[in-house]
Amino acid sequence: MNNQNLKRINTPIFPFTAIVGQEEMKLALELNVIDPKIGGVMIMGDRGTGKSTTIRAIADLLPEIEVIKDDPFNRHPTENINTTEKFETEYIKIPMVDLPLGATEDRVCGTIDIEKALTEGIKAFEPGLLAKANRGILYVDEVNLLDDHLVDILLDSAASGWNTVEREGISIRHPAQFVLVGSGNPEEGELRPQLLDRFGMHAEIRTVKDPNLRVKIVEERTLFDLDPYVWVDKYKDQQDSLKQKIIDAQNILDETEMPYEFRVKISKVCSELDVDGLRGDIVTNRAAKAYTAFQGNKNVLLEDIEKIIVLCLRHRLRKDPLESIDSGYKVKKVFEEIFEIV
């Protein structure tokens, strides 16, 4: 069976707009897709709450991207250094790469075949998961169980947009721009505060308690499993509408502005909460602008900041690794005081 047939018989992915509840997680993912420079999202919550389903669903929702055909790094034709050369291009779905828990550094970063490099005089590079994830989403389930060294590599690449592999004096560098999404269950241990701080946003998800809502979630999933094609068709208009809203937001993001007084107040909130460094200020500014653009506006309003500030700051308050993450009450309280919300 050829690849085309295989692609055709792939089961559809559960539609993003059909996911019930989990608004925090959905919003954080939408904003990171609008502006990947926000720095990714850490999703902490109970098992079986649809974390993986939601992340796959947002990747499936996004518009296809143009890439150089058969390029291992999914590069756009204009990205290639040798611009005089003409390339065949194709459109592909946004890459969604799952990082397995037992992944080694070589599997993540890629490897250089030293023997080939020395005998044949060519750089023989075998791309890793970071190459596959370029211009897409890299999802790490149970990121809190991943080796700290690997988490560091992922965060460095996500922040710089590049991955560098060095072996025996040979160095390869390739683009690795992706939205890093980590998820985990707090019962299995938290990430170290230094690593947690480097995730742009932090979404908390809880098991739905309302019996009616639970029944609705179970029914939706059952109907989808019975006939996924019919189910996907049912949500087509909603999916198309949200996709267009995200594209429109990406297009006006650069024109979105925030009043100086709001920027000062955001920094006051960070200072009052004793947030280390300036990452909290930067991410809150970016996320507020992305949310404003998502609403189809170009001027940040007070309610836009209110909507995202907890997601951007709650995970930056901890000083003691044994202390649990504040649910956002403290951030909300300080925000209301400084922005004088009665």
Side-chain angles (χ1 to χ4, degrees):
M1 190 180 283
N2 66 25
N3 282 351
Q4 286 306 108
N5 288 344
L6 275 174
K7 276 180 192 168
R8 211 167 289 134
I9 59 167
N10 271 352
T11 310
I13 285 166
F14 195 81
F16 188 80
T17 48
I19 292 164
V20 179
Q22 312 303 8
E23 299 309 319
E24 264 199 13
M25 167 167 60
K26 290 197 297 198
L27 179 63
L29 288 169
E30 286 162 343
L31 298 184
N32 270 278
V33 159
I34 291 165
D35 182 4
K37 289 195 175 81
I38 286 170
V41 56
M42 179 69 193
I43 301 163
M44 285 305 250
D46 306 329
R47 284 180 295 271
T49 42
K51 298 189 282 279
S52 308
T53 303
T54 309
I55 294 151
R56 282 191 184 85
I58 187 110
D60 189 58
L61 170 82
L62 298 171
E64 292 187 334
I65 55 170
E66 188 183 9
V67 299
I68 297 168
K69 201 170 191 305
D70 301 326
D71 182 67
F73 311 114
N74 309 318
R75 282 175 301 186
H76 190 274
T78 56
E79 268 184 75
N80 207 16
I81 304 152
N82 189 357
T83 45
T84 53
E85 210 176 319
K86 280 278 176 220
F87 293 98
E88 202 183 330
T89 65
E90 60 179 341
Y91 281 86
I92 62 163
K93 281 200 118 16
I94 288 267
M96 154 73 195
V97 176
D98 261 312
L99 187 105
L101 198 54
T104 60
E105 188 179 334
D106 282 351
R107 175 102 172 81
V108 173
C109 301
T111 53
I112 297 170
D113 186 334
I114 300 296
E115 197 177 331
K116 200 170 187 179
L118 294 174
T119 55
E120 298 176 31
I122 55 168
K123 287 182 179 177
F125 179 61
E126 186 61 48
L129 295 174
L130 292 181
K132 259 190 188 162
N134 187 36
R135 297 177 70 202
I137 295 171
L138 181 64
Y139 174 48
V140 191
D141 194 12
E142 309 290 5
V143 69
N144 43 340
L145 301 181
L146 201 64
D147 179 57
D148 278 354
H149 170 60
L150 270 183
V151 179
D152 253 338
I153 288 172
L154 296 177
L155 288 161
D156 281 342
S157 291
S160 67
W162 291 92
N163 172 43
T164 306
V165 184
E166 289 179 348
R167 297 282 183 280
E168 316 288 334
I170 296 171
S171 179
I172 299 267
R173 188 168 179 260
H174 70 76
Q177 294 176 333
F178 51 84
V179 174
L180 180 62
V181 182
S183 72
N185 182 350
E187 289 170 18
E188 288 158 354
E190 292 279 9
L191 263 184
R192 285 191 295 122
Q194 302 91 300
L195 293 175
L196 200 51
D197 170 63
R198 292 179 61 184
F199 278 91
M201 302 177 92
H202 182 285
E204 272 186 0
I205 48 174
R206 294 277 166 261
T207 303
V208 175
K209 295 283 188 271
D210 176 1
N212 295 321
L213 207 48
R214 287 174 78 118
V215 167
K216 188 179 182 206
I217 293 167
V218 172
E219 280 176 355
E220 299 254 308
R221 184 73 224 192
T222 309
L223 289 167
F224 172 76
D225 290 339
L226 278 173
D227 196 336
Y229 291 96
V230 167
W231 196 244
V232 164
D233 218 41
K234 178 183 163 185
Y235 280 90
K236 189 179 184 309
D237 289 348
Q238 286 181 49
Q239 290 280 98
D240 289 346
S241 165
L242 180 56
K243 183 189 286 190
Q244 194 54 53
K245 198 177 165 189
I246 287 171
I247 294 168
D248 292 344
Q250 288 170 333
N251 291 336
I252 63 167
L253 183 64
D254 288 344
E255 300 163 46
T256 308
E257 294 187 353
M258 185 189 292
Y260 179 72
E261 58 167 310
F262 283 176
R263 300 204 298 269
V264 171
K265 284 181 175 178
I266 285 170
S267 289
K268 269 188 185 169
V269 171
C270 292
S271 181
E272 189 77 22
L273 289 167
D274 205 16
V275 170
D276 289 336
L278 293 172
R279 203 172 270 129
D281 310 48
I282 293 165
V283 169
T284 308
N285 277 278
R286 279 195 176 283
K289 284 182 178 179
Y291 184 74
T292 300
F294 193 39
Q295 303 313 301
N297 302 322
K298 291 183 184 178
N299 293 306
V300 176
L301 304 173
L302 179 64
E303 47 266 39
D304 298 334
I305 302 169
E306 186 173 18
K307 188 82 183 170
I308 55 88
I309 196 160
V310 169
L311 291 170
C312 298
L313 297 182
R314 69 144 73 91
H315 57 302
R316 303 179 198 278
L317 308 191
R318 287 191 312 151
K319 295 292 176 277
D320 177 359
L322 300 174
E323 196 183 314
S324 67
I325 290 180
D326 178 86
S327 65
Y329 168 75
K330 202 191 284 185
V331 177
K332 210 169 180 328
K333 189 166 166 284
V334 172
F335 167 78
E336 286 170 357
E337 280 169 15
I338 287 170
F339 279 80
E340 295 161 12
I341 296 170
V342 182

